[in-house]
């Protein structure tokens, strides 16, 4: 019997990963917001948790998570800041096309939930685009138990997002 591919190894993102992270992020615009190298580096600095999954030394996916009180101008982050004193906000998750549908998104979110529990946060928050649509991510979040708590138009009314929460 031959072994299948090794499970991706998870670790905190380092500055040396950021070129690869940026490349994967930009692969998925507009499902995730566009970044430049400096805005990505700033975001990772603000993050409570920034984790990459590496398979055969290559980035297979990543997640970036913020807690309360971050100086982050995103209208979606501000939406959840106004609703909660304590919360865990998934700013973005992206899986490389070759690793989609293999359970890696679920594994990264399990890490987010563990982190949230560890810091005493009662809720995980995220948003998904409704327009332009992202039905794959909507199905993913629904499968993981997230529920819609609102909708908003952002970025000069060019993007409509569904605001989601998973109560722990
Ligand atoms: C959305 C995304 C994060 C999901 O990650 P993933 O690793 O592909 O998903 P998983 O394999 O962990 O799936 C977890 C569950 O969600 C379901 N799911 C995932 N993608 C789905 C899809 N496109 N349609 C229906 N269900 C889906 C799976 O069936 C699975 O359910 P199961 O465990 O009961 O079988 C990933 O596809 C991605 O990076 N997409 C592009 C970027 C993006 O949209 N990011 C999110 C922005 S809000």
């Amino acid at each position: 019997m031959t072994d299948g591919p090794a499970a991706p190894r998870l670790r905190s993102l380092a500055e040396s990963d950021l070129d690869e992270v940026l490349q994967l992020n930009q692969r998925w615009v507009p499902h995730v917001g566009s970044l430049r190298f400096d805005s990505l580096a700033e975001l990772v600095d603000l993050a409570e948790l920034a984790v990459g999954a590496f398979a055969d030394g290559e980035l297979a996916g990543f997640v970036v998570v913020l807690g309360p009180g971050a100086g982050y101008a995103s209208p979606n982050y501000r939406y959840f800041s106004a609703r909660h004193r304590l919360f865990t906000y998934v700013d973005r998750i992206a899986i490389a096309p070759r690793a989609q549908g293999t359970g890696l998104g679920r594994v990264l979110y399990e890490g987010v939930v563990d982190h949230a529990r560890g810091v005493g946060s009662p809720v995980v928050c995220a948003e998904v685009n409704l327009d332009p649509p992202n039905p794959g991510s909507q199905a993913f979040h629904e499968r993981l138990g997230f529920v819609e708590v609102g909708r908003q138009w952002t970025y000069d009314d060019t993007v409509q997002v569904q605001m989601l929460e998973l109560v722990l």
Side-chain angles (χ1 to χ4, degrees), residues 24 27-32 62 91-97 99-109 126-129 134-144 164:
L24 180 52
R27 163 68 181 76
W28 285 122
V29 174
H31 293 337
V32 298
F62 71 91
D91 180 72
R92 63 194 64 223
I93 180 169
I95 306 297
Q100 276 187 296
T102 64
L104 183 53
R106 185 187 280 281
V107 167
L108 288 176
Y109 263 54
E127 78 279 345
V128 177
N129 288 0
N134 187 359
S137 184
Q138 265 189 284
F140 167 76
H141 282 89
E142 199 173 300
R143 190 79 188 100
L144 268 57
L164 299 170

Side-chain angles (χ1 to χ4, degrees), residues 1-79:
M1 201 171 82
T2 55
D3 290 336
R9 200 171 70 85
L10 269 51
R11 62 165 171 78
S12 291
L13 292 175
E15 185 156 3
S16 54
D17 299 320
L18 296 189
D19 282 326
E20 217 179 345
V21 171
L22 185 63
Q23 200 175 1
L24 180 52
N25 188 86
Q26 296 309 102
R27 163 68 181 76
W28 285 122
V29 174
H31 293 337
V32 298
S34 182
L35 292 170
R36 298 181 318 273
F37 186 88
D38 55 347
S39 49
L40 171 61
E42 207 172 298
L43 178 62
V44 169
D45 261 359
L46 290 176
E48 266 190 359
L49 184 74
V51 170
F54 295 84
D56 298 324
E58 286 185 12
L59 185 70
F62 71 91
V63 65
V64 178
V65 172
L66 280 77
Y72 187 40
S74 148
N76 299 320
Y77 176 77
R78 287 207 303 265
Y79 177 96

Side-chain angles (χ1 to χ4, degrees), residues 109-132:
Y109 263 54
E110 283 166 0
V112 173
V113 167
D114 283 351
H115 171 82
R117 290 209 165 100
V119 297
S121 164
V123 62
V124 178
C125 307
E127 78 279 345
V128 177
N129 288 0
L130 291 170
D131 188 359

